[in-house]
Amino acid sequence: MADIWIRSASNRFAFLRMDTSAVTSSNCAGSGTVNSQFYSPGSEPITATGNDEVFFFVPVSDTAFALRSIVSANAYLRMDGSSVTEANADGSGTVNCQYYPQGVQPQAVPGNDEVFQFVSIPNSPVVAIRSFNYPNAYLRMNAAGVASRQGNGSGFVNCQYYAPGSLPQWTPGNLEVFHVSAIPIKT
């Protein structure tokens, strides 16, 4: 496992945040809060006890991975893209967390909302993060108003639909592309 952070490509001060304080048991709808946190210019998340913006990168196949909280060894990022069937200016779907008992981790099998794939964006330093279970659903982080550090984070994280054969592009304002501190898996 490696530690990584994920930063918005449209707001260079906004990093993905996973609050796992309410993730104490398995829940089919997931639990916890996923949003973003502000880091001042020149700073970035560090691996430290209680840091909600750093994740353990957990490979589950040659091309798929899960993201586990460093705060809670039982909480993984979850993206339910079942309702993500067309592009929506506000995004759709649900991004939160899922509880896994000690010694168990997500698997790259159909129906698993806690497995993802990095998708390279041609001619760019950014990637998109696609659901393994819903391959047309991509992680979306609206961090337009994230301009100062908030204890509970701010911004909004959900999903965006991309039709088969299309990809998010590295263009100003695109909410589905990210800088990742390290990408230790094939894209």
Side-chain angles (χ1 to χ4, degrees), residues 5-7 13 26 32 61 72-73 102 115-117 124 127 134-135 157 162 172 180:
W5 52 251
I6 298 169
R7 178 172 54 93
F13 306 116
S26 185
S61 78
S72 170
Q102 190 69 27
V115 177
F116 304 91
Q117 295 176 307
S124 80
V127 296
Y134 302 100
V157 176
Y162 281 83
V180 179

Side-chain angles (χ1 to χ4, degrees), residues 11-88:
N11 178 342
R12 64 186 179 139
F13 306 116
F15 290 78
L16 189 68
R17 174 183 177 272
M18 195 164 71
D19 177 354
T20 61
S21 59
V23 183
T24 57
S25 63
S26 185
N27 179 334
C28 63
S31 57
T33 301
V34 175
N35 57 12
S36 54
Q37 185 59 273
F38 176 86
Y39 277 78
S40 40
S43 66
E44 62 188 35
I46 60 170
T47 301
T49 303
N51 192 333
D52 293 333
E53 296 83 44
V54 177
F55 314 99
F56 284 124
F57 176 88
V58 181
V60 297
S61 78
D62 286 346
T63 60
F65 65 93
L67 292 176
R68 192 184 93 199
S69 166
I70 67 165
V71 175
S72 170
N74 302 103
Y76 287 81
L77 184 69
R78 174 184 176 271
M79 186 165 76
D80 179 357
S82 60
S83 65
V84 182
T85 57
E86 63 184 10
N88 181 327

Side-chain angles (χ1 to χ4, degrees), residues 139-164:
L139 188 70
R140 174 184 180 273
M141 182 165 59
N142 184 347
V146 179
S148 65
R149 192 161 184 85
Q150 304 294 317
N152 293 324
S154 56
F156 191 76
V157 176
N158 60 2
C159 314
Q160 185 58 271
Y161 175 86
Y162 281 83

